[in-house]
Amino acid sequence: ITSALCAMLLLRGYRASKSSLLFWSSLCFFGLTLNNVLLFVDLVVVPDLDMRLWRSIPALLSMMVLLYGLVME
């Protein structure tokens, strides 16, 4: 919930200031939100199924997006 709230606040800040770093940061936090949802599914909904790889992919992609935004900014 916290990462989704951060993503929405960053996106709102991007709309107000048009700073591209806020855009890349919001995309990163949306990916981290997806990672948290998959973590919940993995540990609570289907605990006998190992989804470690599937929940690591959104986190990795999110960090890559943020790194791209930091380098290109």
Side-chain angles (χ1 to χ4, degrees), residues 17-30:
S17 69
K18 298 297 184 205
S19 172
S20 63
L21 187 58
L22 289 173
F23 173 72
W24 294 113
S25 297
S26 66
L27 284 181
C28 174
F29 273 92
F30 277 122

Side-chain angles (χ1 to χ4, degrees), residues 1-12 14-15 22-38 57-59 61-63 65-66:
I1 295 174
T2 305
S3 57
L5 181 62
C6 287
M8 288 186 286
L9 289 173
L10 285 166
L11 194 60
R12 189 175 76 173
Y14 168 70
R15 286 187 199 151
L22 289 173
F23 173 72
W24 294 113
S25 297
S26 66
L27 284 181
C28 174
F29 273 92
F30 277 122
L32 293 176
T33 302
L34 177 62
N35 182 40
N36 288 336
V37 168
L38 289 175
I57 290 172
L61 292 176
S62 297
M63 291 299 121
V65 164
L66 183 60

